[in-house]
């Protein structure tokens, strides 16, 4: 396992577009990231002389759980020129079947090359490359000349960093740059801006505000679309576990009850929302990476709770929810990691819970201090959460874990709103604790399926 100090460094100049992307399941780091890396390499490999062969080697967590996370499918699609944002989830089986049956891959969507998975797509199980636990090496071979090789790291949330390069942006100055929660709160006190307004102002360094508003609204629509589609589908999820979808049945049962004063029904609806999204994700459907695919159900479920159950929900409130949540996500990406291969599930479900708690607190009118408190509560009670998917599939315990994270986020928000923002443990302290906990956590509990439920439950 590589040392954490060798991790590729992310820029503190992060944008909401770095945190929220619309793509396909089941994993941001194991599906979305490798697809982007493969597409990037295909573009490089076809820029000059045409390759005769391409070899892909997967390392670390990508090798150990790649089959269950559809990493092989993602690589094929990426090399063929597809992107997670644009590929049609319903067309993926046919696209992959065509490549496998013909053993011909249209590299970068244009140059047909022979591609045999047994020799050209290798899972180097048990081997880790320095830099990150999610690594992939591509090598292109030419009729003449030396081979071309590139290593990419999938660092979480679908983000990809090429070996030897930084994700930092050049010549970008934010009006309210921050790298810690303390700095974020200080900016708010000095300027009178809410956390959401600080992010709005910073986003104008990337693009006009109207474009950011359109993007945030698109994210909201996509989140709710994944809830709606998840509630309509039925049958078994892909994979050997034969997990049956439950969202449709649960929704019908809730609707059949009709209006009732039972407060617990609210949390049943919230659990349904999260369940629906993560069943879609497990099936390879389209979801919003928020901040990862494995935790994609938490923010949509809590945002839906705000719009369906809050006393006076508004569009501005929903936008503030997402902008505030993104600020908290920036802090985790900058100071720790959102990669389960580095942090365990505390880096996915824990971070999403923290983000959602902050977003809901802001949407309900909480102060900056209360937002920071809610984010801290959301993570504090997810510390040490391991990533141990059975069979390497993003199904058990991942799907239900999102329902728990969503309910916990709502609880954290209301706890914070009942206080004045003053509390003993700071968000910065909790983020640093999460980072240290992730580094101390044994690798078998970090998305390798070598420990926990993954080895103590017999696969069907």
């Amino acid at each position: 396992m590589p040392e954490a100090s060798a991790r590729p460094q992310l820029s503190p100049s992060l944008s909401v577009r770095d945190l929220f992307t619309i793509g396909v399941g089941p994993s941001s780091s194991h599906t979305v990231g490798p697809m982007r890396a493969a597409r990037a390499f295909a573009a490089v490999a076809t820029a000059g002389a045409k390759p005769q062969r391409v070899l892909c080697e997967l390392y670390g967590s990508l090798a150990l759980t790649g089959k269950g996370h559809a990493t092989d499918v993602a690589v094929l699609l990426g090399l063929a020129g597809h992107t997670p944002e644009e590929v049609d989830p319903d067309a993926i089986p046919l696209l992959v079947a065509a490549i496998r049956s013909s053993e011909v891959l249209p590299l970068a969507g244009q140059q047909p090359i022979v591609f045999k998975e047994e020799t050209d797509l290798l899972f180097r199980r048990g081997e880790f490359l320095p830099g990150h636990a999610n690594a992939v090496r591509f090598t292109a071979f030419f009729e003449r000349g030396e081979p071309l090789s590139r290593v990419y790291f999938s660092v979480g949330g679908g983000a990809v960093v090429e070996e030897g390069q930084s994700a930092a942006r050049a010549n970008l100055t934010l009006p309210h740059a921050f790298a810690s929660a303390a700095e974020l709160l200080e900016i708010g006190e000095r300027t009178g801006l809410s956390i959401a307004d600080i992010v709005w102002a910073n986003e104008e360094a990337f693009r006009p505000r109207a474009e950011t508003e359109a993007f945030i609204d698109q994210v909201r629509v996509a989140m709710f679309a994944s809830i709606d589609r998840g509630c309509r589908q039925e049958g078994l999820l892909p994979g050997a576990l034969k997990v049956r979808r439950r969202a449709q049945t649960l929704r019908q049962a809730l609707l059949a009850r009709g209006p009732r004063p039972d407060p617990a029904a609210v949390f049943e609806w919230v659990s349904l929302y999260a369940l629906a999204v993560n069943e879609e994700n497990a099936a390879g459907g389209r979801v919003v990476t928020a901040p990862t695919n494995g935790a994609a159900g938490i923010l949509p479920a809590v945002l839906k709770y705000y719009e369906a159950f809050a006393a006076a929900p508004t569009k501005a409130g929903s936008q503030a929810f997402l902008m505030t949540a993104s600020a908290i996500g920036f802090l985790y990406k900058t100071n720790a990691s959102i990669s389960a291969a580095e942090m365990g599930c505390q880096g996915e479900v824990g971070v999403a819970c923290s983000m959602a708690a902050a977003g809901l607190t802001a949407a309900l009118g909480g102060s900056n201090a209360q937002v920071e408190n809610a984010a801290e509560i959301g993570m504090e009670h997810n510390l040490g959460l391991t990533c141990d998917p059975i069979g390497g599939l993003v199904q058990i315990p991942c799907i239900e874990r999102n329902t728990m994270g969503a309910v916990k986020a709502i609880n954290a928000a209301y706890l914070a709103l009942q206080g004045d923002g003053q509390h003993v443990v700071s968000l910065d302290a909790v983020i640093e604790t999460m980072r240290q906990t992730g580094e101390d956590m044994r690798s078998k509990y970090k998305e390798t399926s070598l420990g926990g439920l993954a080895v103590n439950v017999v696969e069907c």
Side-chain angles (χ1 to χ4, degrees):
M1 191 76 177
E3 293 296 324
S5 59
R7 286 171 53 254
Q9 295 301 303
L10 292 173
S11 167
S13 300
L14 294 168
S15 165
V16 293
R17 285 185 173 272
D18 297 314
L19 212 60
F20 301 130
T21 58
I22 301 169
V24 294
S27 171
S28 50
S29 59
H30 286 59
T31 315
V32 176
M35 193 185 304
R36 288 175 174 161
R39 187 174 189 270
F41 180 76
V44 172
T46 56
K50 304 305 180 185
Q52 305 299 305
R53 178 193 173 211
V54 169
L55 169 66
C56 171
E57 299 170 279
L58 300 165
Y59 295 89
S61 180
L62 293 185
L64 289 165
T65 62
K67 285 288 186 180
H69 287 67
T71 306
D72 49 350
V73 170
V75 167
L76 294 177
L77 293 171
L79 288 175
H82 296 285
T83 68
E85 294 84 1
E86 296 178 356
V87 67
D88 179 0
D90 294 329
I92 288 176
L94 293 177
L95 292 170
V96 174
I99 295 171
R100 286 174 167 166
S101 62
S102 66
E103 294 189 335
V104 174
L105 185 149
L107 191 63
Q110 54 186 1
Q111 183 195 350
I113 63 169
V114 174
F115 193 91
K116 299 181 179 181
E117 284 191 70
E118 62 271 20
T119 57
D120 297 333
L121 180 51
L122 305 180
F123 290 77
R124 303 294 191 189
R125 295 174 62 88
E127 296 183 38
F128 290 82
L129 296 186
H132 197 280
N134 293 329
V136 54
R137 175 186 285 120
F138 295 100
T139 305
F141 299 90
F142 304 89
E143 186 175 358
R144 296 183 181 85
E146 294 295 318
L148 173 69
S149 185
R150 294 284 189 277
V151 173
Y152 299 88
F153 302 110
S154 182
V155 297
V160 173
V161 178
E162 185 178 336
E163 184 180 42
Q165 297 188 2
S166 170
R169 295 183 176 88
N171 302 319
L172 182 65
T173 302
L174 303 182
H176 304 298
F178 60 90
S180 69
E183 291 177 359
L184 186 58
L185 291 174
E186 188 278 327
I187 293 169
E189 291 177 3
R190 174 166 41 84
T191 63
L193 296 174
S194 68
I195 290 175
D197 286 336
I198 291 169
V199 179
W200 280 117
N202 284 344
E203 290 299 311
E204 293 196 50
F206 296 93
R207 70 194 72 83
R209 177 170 175 133
E211 291 184 19
T212 301
E213 288 184 354
F215 172 73
I216 286 297
D217 291 343
Q218 181 186 19
V219 165
R220 174 194 167 275
V221 169
M223 284 180 168
F224 288 176
S226 64
I227 293 176
D228 293 341
R229 191 172 193 276
C231 285
R232 295 196 305 270
Q233 304 304 308
E234 57 184 348
L236 300 179
L237 294 172
L241 296 179
K242 301 187 184 303
V243 173
R244 183 169 297 280
R245 285 181 180 254
R246 290 178 286 172
Q248 185 194 71
T249 301
L250 177 56
R251 180 177 180 273
Q252 290 173 343
L254 289 172
L255 289 173
R257 292 182 190 174
R260 55 181 295 176
D262 181 5
V266 173
F267 293 101
E268 290 184 87
W269 279 103
V270 172
S271 294
L272 166 64
Y273 302 149
L275 195 76
V277 173
N278 282 85
E279 287 181 348
E280 270 300 284
N281 178 64
R286 192 169 300 286
V287 299
V288 177
T289 302
T292 67
N293 281 31
I298 294 174
L299 266 77
V302 179
L303 180 58
K304 183 75 172 178
Y305 163 82
Y306 166 71
E307 295 196 9
F309 295 103
T314 63
K315 178 180 180 180
S318 295
Q319 291 179 332
F321 178 107
L322 291 171
M323 298 301 277
T324 303
S326 67
I328 303 306
F330 297 159
L331 296 176
Y332 284 101
K333 289 197 73 169
T334 300
N335 298 300
S337 172
I338 59 170
S339 168
E342 287 190 294
M343 296 288 117
C345 200
Q346 61 175 358
E348 294 203 29
V349 163
V351 171
C353 177
S354 182
M355 291 170 61
L360 179 60
T361 302
L364 294 174
S367 66
N368 288 353
Q370 289 171 320
V371 166
E372 187 261 358
N373 188 13
E376 179 273 325
I377 296 171
M379 173 53 74
E380 184 177 335
H381 303 288
N382 279 293
L383 288 172
L385 191 60
T386 61
C387 182
D388 50 355
I390 299 175
L393 298 167
V394 192
Q395 297 178 14
I396 302 174
C398 320
I399 295 172
E400 288 182 355
R401 191 167 280 175
N402 275 256
T403 70
M404 300 297 107
V407 172
K408 191 178 293 186
I410 295 171
N411 190 23
Y414 282 104
L415 280 173
L417 286 167
Q418 291 301 316
D420 60 3
Q422 301 299 312
H423 53 107
V424 175
V425 181
S426 70
L427 176 58
D428 288 330
V430 165
I431 293 175
E432 174 59 15
T433 302
M434 187 201 82
R435 186 192 66 77
Q436 293 175 4
T437 303
E439 291 188 356
D440 291 341
M441 191 182 291
R442 295 177 64 181
S443 62
K444 70 179 185 178
Y445 297 116
K446 295 192 285 189
E447 207 169 9
T448 60
S449 287
L450 297 176
L453 287 175
V455 297
N456 287 306
V457 176
V458 178
E459 295 180 40
C460 299

